Amino acid sequence: MEKKNNKKGFTLAELLIVVAIIAVLVAVAIPIFNAQLEKSKEATDIANLRSAYGEAVAKYLTDGSITAGTSLKVGEFTYDVSESGGNIEVTAQSGKSKKYSEGKYSEGGAASKSGT
């Protein structure tokens, strides 16, 4: 009686190599994913500031002025609005100092970036 030597499947070494390759790919992908996530949050913040600025301009054009201490709620966020000589500035009420004024976005006193 002849016994068939039918070995199918992968060896332990092959499986360990595949697991190691997957671990390296994950280790590379996580920082890239986190960076993209942060960029998307920044883009959302700027879009929300621009929306609040648009509402503030509409309020200014409708009422003729903006009183001190005016707040606007856009979505789930609240923004402080100030006006001086026709210049409207919207500031986020959060831990970060983010402002939007006349098409310019600035964060914590940094140089303004174009918000349009």
Side-chain angles (χ1 to χ4, degrees), residues 91-104:
T91 306
Q93 286 183 351
S94 65
K96 295 180 180 177
S97 175
K98 296 182 179 185
K99 295 181 180 181
Y100 189 85
S101 177
E102 293 184 357
K104 300 289 181 184

Side-chain angles (χ1 to χ4, degrees), residues 47-66 70-82 88-90 100:
N48 286 339
L49 277 170
R50 286 175 59 188
S51 178
Y53 181 78
E55 283 190 34
V57 169
K59 183 173 177 55
Y60 179 76
L61 292 174
T62 303
D63 299 344
S65 68
I66 295 177
T70 301
S71 293
L72 287 176
K73 188 159 178 69
V74 177
E76 60 188 66
F77 302 104
T78 305
Y79 299 92
D80 292 326
V81 180
S82 61
I88 299 171
E89 184 173 272
V90 178
Y100 189 85

